[in-house]
Amino acid sequence: MKGIAAGIGVVALCPLLLAGTAMVMASSSEAATTASFSGCLTGLDTAEVTKEVTKILDGAGASGKDVHVQGLDLPAEQIPNAQTIVATGLSLDVPKKGQIVAIATAMQESRLRNLNSGDRDSLGLFQQRPSQGWGTAQQIRDPVYASEQFYKHLLKVDGWQQMKVTQAAQAVQASGYPDAYAQWEDLATALQKAIAKTFPNAGKDEPAKNKDTESASGAGTCTPDKDGTSFGRIPEGSVPKGYKIPKDADPKARAAIEWAMHQLGTLYQWGGSCTDSHGPDPMGRCDCSSLMQQAYAHADVKLTRTTYTQVNEGKSVSAKSPKPGDLIFSRGTAARPEHVGMYMGEGLVIEAPRTSKPVRITPIKDWDILAARRVL
């Protein structure tokens, strides 16, 4: 699972490291193409890192040629992987420090590269090993799965939040070079801060007040007359047998529902843009609000990006008589709900539910509805 010192030579590491510790490189022929880094990454200009990270994430520096972050030799590959690690941490409610530990670990183990090989059967961003129960090779090569597994192991470590970053990382990784993670702490901290700012659902923004909010809260736990039970159990990612979009659905609602149905079965990604849910980049997958935004974008209707703001879109309607295309909200409060789905008619809702779950159709009876909005 661990990287091995590959005869790189002795370098001067951070004060937290043991003097004379050999620089650890990911033990892979791929990792060998990444230039070795020596010295401490201290005193990083976070504002500058944010600017460079934004170039990659906005697509302006997609090639990475004009992006310069100390310690990153392949930013076009490394920054999106760091983004996936942060997004996965946010989706699992992992504190900021845990995200920093994860990025520092991935920097040490793979240089933030999703490697096809490593020491013995080590793979992926964290060089996790199938033989040690981390999952199948295919699973470990999925950056979202690998990140989830790292966080799940970290959160089981008693007192990890009181540990130094390198200690917390070592508690999960059991590396032969336990102090080596410390050299990446400053870079990991800067990357986490820069990337977290790019997520609209980071939880710090408050929705603008809307005169319809109170009436929306009146929806309570009402459900429409058709509650979806007639379809029986609905396998995740599938369309219930016999379902058809109601003939009287608004044409734009129909277009939005049809587009959303094409995303069925694709895995949820917190903060994902939903612009390429079937593609290889996890950040192209959908979260609940981006599924709504992109579905309506394909019907020429512009929605804002977050659940917190979508609850103020259009007009409030009764949750007892929704129409196809209406947005319904649950979890949290009516003023600040944490989840959104789209009513499809016939008592069904399409949603991107949560991490590790696919876009799916569920009966509305399973929803504790806080608000409903009609955006057409």
Side-chain angles (χ1 to χ4, degrees):
M1 176 176 180
K2 301 280 100 35
I4 294 178
I8 304 301
V10 176
V11 297
L13 298 179
C14 301
L16 289 174
L17 301 186
L18 297 175
T21 299
M23 172 61 101
V24 180
M25 293 295 290
S27 59
S28 163
S29 58
E30 291 189 44
T33 64
T34 303
S36 62
F37 170 78
S38 62
C40 291
L41 286 170
T42 57
L44 286 172
D45 184 340
T46 301
E48 184 63 23
V49 172
T50 299
K51 184 179 77 173
E52 298 299 293
V53 166
T54 302
K55 287 181 184 178
I56 293 286
L57 299 184
D58 285 351
S63 69
K65 292 181 180 179
D66 298 322
V67 175
H68 305 284
V69 177
Q70 186 181 2
L72 298 184
D73 299 300
L74 298 168
E77 179 180 356
Q78 294 164 306
I79 289 173
N81 284 332
Q83 183 190 40
T84 297
I85 292 171
V86 172
T88 304
L90 289 168
S91 74
L92 296 174
D93 294 323
V94 176
K96 173 183 175 181
K97 181 174 180 178
Q99 298 167 38
I100 292 170
V101 172
I103 295 173
T105 300
M107 274 300 304
Q108 176 60 27
E109 297 295 345
S110 69
R111 294 300 184 269
L112 274 173
R113 299 177 66 195
N114 193 19
L115 300 178
N116 284 316
S117 59
D119 175 38
R120 286 168 284 187
D121 58 338
S122 299
L123 296 165
L125 290 174
F126 298 92
Q127 289 290 280
Q128 295 158 337
R129 297 178 60 187
S131 64
Q132 293 187 345
W134 287 89
T136 66
Q138 182 179 7
Q139 288 174 322
I140 292 171
R141 283 272 297 146
D142 180 339
V144 176
Y145 174 88
S147 300
E148 288 175 358
Q149 290 302 305
F150 178 85
Y151 286 128
K152 287 177 181 178
H153 283 73
L154 175 66
L155 295 176
K156 290 179 181 178
V157 175
D158 187 34
W160 71 268
Q161 292 198 62
Q162 284 71 53
M163 297 178 181
K164 295 177 181 179
V165 167
T166 194
Q167 293 171 328
Q170 173 64 5
V172 175
Q173 300 295 97
S175 170
Y177 300 90
D179 300 306
Y181 302 103
Q183 64 191 308
W184 305 112
E185 182 173 352
D186 281 5
L187 175 59
T189 301
L191 287 173
Q192 190 281 334
K193 184 174 182 179
I195 291 168
K197 288 181 178 179
T198 68
F199 289 111
N201 280 2
K204 295 182 179 180
D205 57 324
E206 292 291 335
K209 290 185 178 180
N210 186 293
K211 63 182 180 181
D212 287 327
T213 298
E214 288 188 15
S215 60
S217 66
T221 58
C222 292
T223 56
D225 295 332
K226 290 185 178 181
D227 62 5
T229 55
S230 63
F231 291 99
R233 180 182 173 276
I234 305 171
E236 287 191 336
S238 68
V239 179
K241 185 177 181 180
Y243 170 78
K244 292 183 179 180
I245 301 173
K247 293 180 179 179
D248 60 352
D250 182 288
K252 290 189 174 181
R254 178 181 295 275
I257 293 170
E258 288 177 344
W259 188 90
M261 288 171 66
H262 284 296
Q263 318 315 311
L264 285 170
T266 62
L267 284 177
Y268 175 100
Q269 174 60 56
W270 194 95
S273 65
C274 202
T275 53
D276 187 16
S277 66
H278 295 275
D281 182 2
M283 298 314 299
R285 300 172 188 169
C286 309
D287 65 14
C288 66
S289 55
S290 66
L291 177 63
M292 302 299 104
Q293 183 188 46
Q294 291 302 317
Y296 265 113
H298 285 78
D300 296 321
V301 177
K302 185 176 181 180
L303 297 184
T304 52
R305 173 62 181 84
T306 74
T307 306
Y308 307 139
T309 55
Q310 287 176 2
V311 76
N312 293 314
E313 299 275 7
K315 64 180 181 180
S316 176
V317 294
S318 170
K320 195 166 184 178
S321 55
K323 291 184 177 180
D326 285 352
L327 305 185
I328 61 171
F329 299 84
S330 67
R331 306 175 197 165
T333 66
R336 193 174 176 82
E338 297 175 357
H339 187 55
V340 61
M342 183 184 296
Y343 186 64
M344 303 171 64
E346 304 300 323
L348 299 176
V349 182
I350 189 165
E351 61 168 346
R354 63 180 185 275
T355 298
S356 79
K357 292 290 185 178
V359 175
R360 65 187 183 184
I361 294 173
T362 54
I364 202 167
K365 71 177 180 63
D366 292 345
W367 285 67
D368 182 10
I369 302 174
L370 297 171
R373 308 290 297 189
R374 187 161 298 150
V375 299
L376 296 174

